[in-house]
Amino acid sequence: MNDFAYAAPTSLAEATKLLQESSGSVKILSGGTDIIVQLREGAREADLVVDVKKLPELQELNFSATHGLRLGAAVPCAQVYDDTRIAAAYPALVDAAKIIGGWQIQSRASIGGNLCNSSPAADSIPALIAHHAYCEIVGPAGKRNVPVEQFCTGPGKNVLQKGELLVALVFPPDLSHCSSAYERFIPRNEMDIAVVGCGSRVQLNAACDTIEFARIGLGAVAATPKYAQEASEWLAGKPANEDSYTQAGELAKKVATPISDMRGTAEYRTHLVGVLVKRTLTTAVERAKSFKNP
Amino acid sequence: MAKKTVVTAEINGNSTEFLCEPRQSLLEVLRDTLHLTGSKEGCNNGNCGACTVLLNGKPVLSCLVLGVEVEGAKIETVESLAQNGQLAPVQQCFLEGAALQCGICTPGFLVATKALLEKYPQPSEHDIRFHLANNLCRCTGYDKIVKAVQTVAAQ
Ligand SMILES: Cc1cc2nc3c(=O)[nH]c(=O)nc-3n(C[C@@H](O)[C@@H](O)[C@H](O)COP(=O)(O)OP(=O)(O)OC[C@H]3O[C@@H](n4cnc5c(N)ncnc54)[C@H](O)[C@@H]3O)c2cc1C
Ligand code: FES
Ligand code: FES
């Protein structure tokens, strides 16, 4: 690994100052499960590594039934899924947190880092999109909010400017008759990269037979994770049944512009979009129904 | 070269001070500086789990932690398991259950198992396979490892 200096600021002001004023290349370190590998392999270079785990705002995990969830950018996956209230309210997020690497990775890897690494195949991003989460970003010019689906701009690229860091992901409150699911397709059971990933969230009517509102997020189907807007909007008012899920899957395929690689051809990936949209909608609806009478 | 930093951490119950460069991993520090060679380097990129240690009670891959990050932390390595020359029950069960062949993966499995049994004293087979999925073994085929964990949990 190339030589670098290390700093672990304890306030946001100190962190943004360090990030802004450093002359060489600066890299942020959260759980390190991407960045340490990239620095070691020479895929990235740093003169200064800024560890953001000591910033209190980035360690916040604040859930309230009325306000929703504030997930500090550096909170590790295992802490997210070990919290039973979060598991109940944000199942797609928890599905994703549980399949990012194995337990040792999950003890360190943060959802914020997964998003900032901005891999098109990152597991948490379609779930974040389905949950309608937004990013709270702080930089020299102050605070700004960006919806998750607008955060990534290309493979490994995102909207963060010099001096900026992701502080938290903010989720709207959970509602009754509402639930979600994330699934990815991989050729084996554990520790693999998604060939396609899909997160879906549904809001049902009181009778639980009609979808009032839905959001579908897709991963590994384009240069950035995608919000399947047309499919999501089409689902509003449709019966919660297999025909609707199939039709939504067809519409979701329209946002897929996948590449062919050794993990799957473009045609195969497009087919998988239909399969996974259907599966995650089915699971999300089942979960939403069972929440009616817990 | 970036300045070496003095880091103080509690390692296997002892307050320990070491000097390291920011780019050195915790695994390098443990093995090369502190001569705690129980943690193994299999892949050095987070895939194999042979370098697993507990960091403040949580299982982590020491090849993906910087030495400078553990200032003030509590670290437990496989060396903390045996006490006064007596193997810990988990080590005894791996040995008697032939849950190893070449042994490279074993320290990582033992440390991850210790953490697993603290979280789930009576783990299901699913719990065991889920929590040990980040530990790869090229030799055993895993069933003997799963059985050894079940044996120690039953004790
Ligand atoms: C063996 C292994 C298996 C894996 N399996 C999966 C998998 O199945 N699915 C999956 O999606 N991923 C997987 N990953 C990658 C996953 O661990 C990472 O994407 C992780 O979530 C990143 O979080 P981190 O906290 O470790 O980030 P870091 O590595 O610390 O940082 C990641 C990137 O984000 C930047 N960054 C971090 N925090 C911030 C912030 N607050 N503000 C601005 N920038 C920031 C860093 O500079 C860096 O570029 C795997 C990794 C390994 C090593
Ligand atoms: S050496 Fe650390 S995971 Fe393989
Ligand atoms: S015993 Fe050889 S790698 Fe597991």
Side-chain angles (χ1 to χ4, degrees):
Chain A
M1 220 184 303
N2 279 340
D3 198 26
F4 54 75
Y6 169 86
T10 52
S11 78
L12 265 182
E14 197 189 332
T16 47
K17 194 158 175 260
L18 268 172
L19 292 172
Q20 195 190 6
E21 288 179 0
S22 150
S23 51
S25 154
V26 198
K27 290 285 172 291
I28 293 176
L29 169 82
S30 183
T33 62
D34 280 320
I35 197 70
I36 294 179
V37 177
Q38 290 160 0
L39 290 170
R40 185 172 287 143
E41 289 173 351
R44 307 254 158 147
E45 285 213 358
D47 299 303
L48 172 67
V49 167
V50 178
D51 184 349
V52 293
K53 285 191 291 297
K54 293 192 175 147
L55 302 173
E57 294 87 346
L58 276 79
Q59 292 295 350
E60 235 185 290
L61 188 62
N62 207 328
F63 173 75
S64 110
T66 45
H67 291 105
L69 172 65
R70 218 185 132 75
L71 170 61
V75 174
C77 290
Q79 204 182 328
V80 172
Y81 64 68
D82 279 342
D83 189 311
T84 49
R85 297 162 316 159
I86 294 175
Y90 304 98
L93 175 70
V94 168
D95 289 343
K98 280 191 175 166
I99 53 176
I100 293 178
W103 191 19
Q104 289 94 319
I105 295 283
Q106 291 153 16
S107 299
R108 296 275 288 175
S110 60
I111 302 289
N114 195 242
L115 176 62
C116 290
N117 187 56
S118 302
S119 156
D123 283 304
S124 75
I125 309 179
L128 293 171
I129 293 173
H131 281 302
H132 214 165
Y134 69 84
C135 311
E136 196 176 288
I137 296 166
V138 163
K143 202 187 311 191
R144 64 183 176 120
N145 295 333
V146 175
V148 169
E149 60 265 33
Q150 286 167 22
F151 182 82
C152 299
T153 52
K157 295 201 172 81
N158 55 51
V159 299
L160 292 176
Q161 303 291 317
K162 187 171 163 75
E164 284 189 323
L165 80 165
L166 176 70
V167 173
L169 291 153
V170 185
F171 295 66
D174 180 40
L175 304 162
S176 55
H177 318 304
C178 176
S179 198
S180 60
Y182 173 78
E183 252 192 71
R184 69 178 176 191
F185 179 82
I186 51 170
R188 60 196 191 113
N189 275 339
E190 309 282 357
M191 302 272 296
D192 212 337
I193 303 166
V195 182
V196 172
C198 176
S200 294
R201 177 169 176 269
V202 295
Q203 166 77 57
L204 303 181
N205 64 347
C208 285
D209 57 10
T210 305
I211 295 173
E212 291 190 334
F213 187 81
R215 278 182 71 89
I216 300 169
L218 294 171
V221 301
T224 60
K226 288 282 175 193
Y227 167 45
Q229 186 170 0
E230 190 182 344
S232 304
E233 288 174 357
W234 179 86
L235 276 168
K238 297 292 181 307
N241 64 24
E242 207 181 316
D243 280 351
S244 307
Y245 313 154
T246 307
Q247 187 60 31
E250 289 306 312
L251 292 171
K253 286 181 187 175
K254 290 195 195 172
V255 298
T257 50
I259 52 163
S260 291
D261 63 9
M262 80 281 193
R263 313 185 56 75
T265 61
E267 194 188 2
Y268 185 48
R269 283 198 160 96
T270 308
H271 170 73
L272 283 171
V273 169
V275 175
L276 292 184
V277 164
K278 208 166 141 179
R279 279 192 201 164
T280 50
L281 283 171
T282 307
T283 308
V285 167
E286 285 313 308
R287 286 174 173 171
K289 283 181 183 168
S290 63
F291 271 118
K292 193 177 56 164
N293 302 307
Chain B
M1 194 177 78
K3 233 176 52 218
K4 283 200 174 188
T5 314
V6 183
V7 177
T8 310
E10 186 193 308
I11 299 180
N12 298 336
N14 305 315
S15 171
T16 309
E17 216 177 69
F18 57 85
L19 256 182
C20 73
E21 285 179 57
R23 65 170 156 179
Q24 280 182 291
S25 69
L26 175 61
L27 178 62
E28 284 176 275
V29 169
L30 289 171
R31 292 183 55 86
D32 303 343
T33 309
L34 302 173
H35 307 296
L36 291 168
T37 54
S39 308
K40 301 297 180 231
E41 180 181 318
C43 63
N44 213 24
N45 64 18
N47 274 295
C48 76
C51 66
T52 301
V53 302
L54 302 184
L55 172 58
N56 296 326
K58 302 270 179 342
V60 302
L61 304 166
S62 58
C63 71
L64 295 188
V65 175
L66 300 177
V68 287
E69 284 184 83
V70 305
E71 172 63 41
K74 191 176 153 194
I75 312 280
E76 292 157 87
T77 69
V78 70
E79 281 90 351
S80 70
L81 291 179
Q83 296 286 329
N84 309 318
Q86 279 283 99
L87 292 185
V90 56
Q91 290 170 306
Q92 201 66 44
C93 288
F94 267 64
L95 196 61
E96 286 167 8
L100 62 147
Q101 287 182 30
C102 79
I104 283 285
C105 67
T106 311
F109 269 106
L110 292 171
V111 173
T113 301
K114 180 183 151 108
L116 166 69
L117 295 175
E118 269 160 27
K119 193 173 175 190
Y120 298 99
Q122 299 297 327
S124 65
E125 182 173 342
H126 174 84
D127 292 334
I128 297 172
R129 291 193 186 268
F130 176 85
H131 289 90
L132 299 182
N134 207 162
N135 292 83
L136 301 187
C137 176
R138 295 288 277 175
C139 310
T140 65
Y142 301 102
D143 280 351
K144 290 187 170 181
I145 293 172
V146 173
K147 287 210 180 80
V149 177
Q150 287 169 327
T151 309
V152 63
Q155 282 180 357

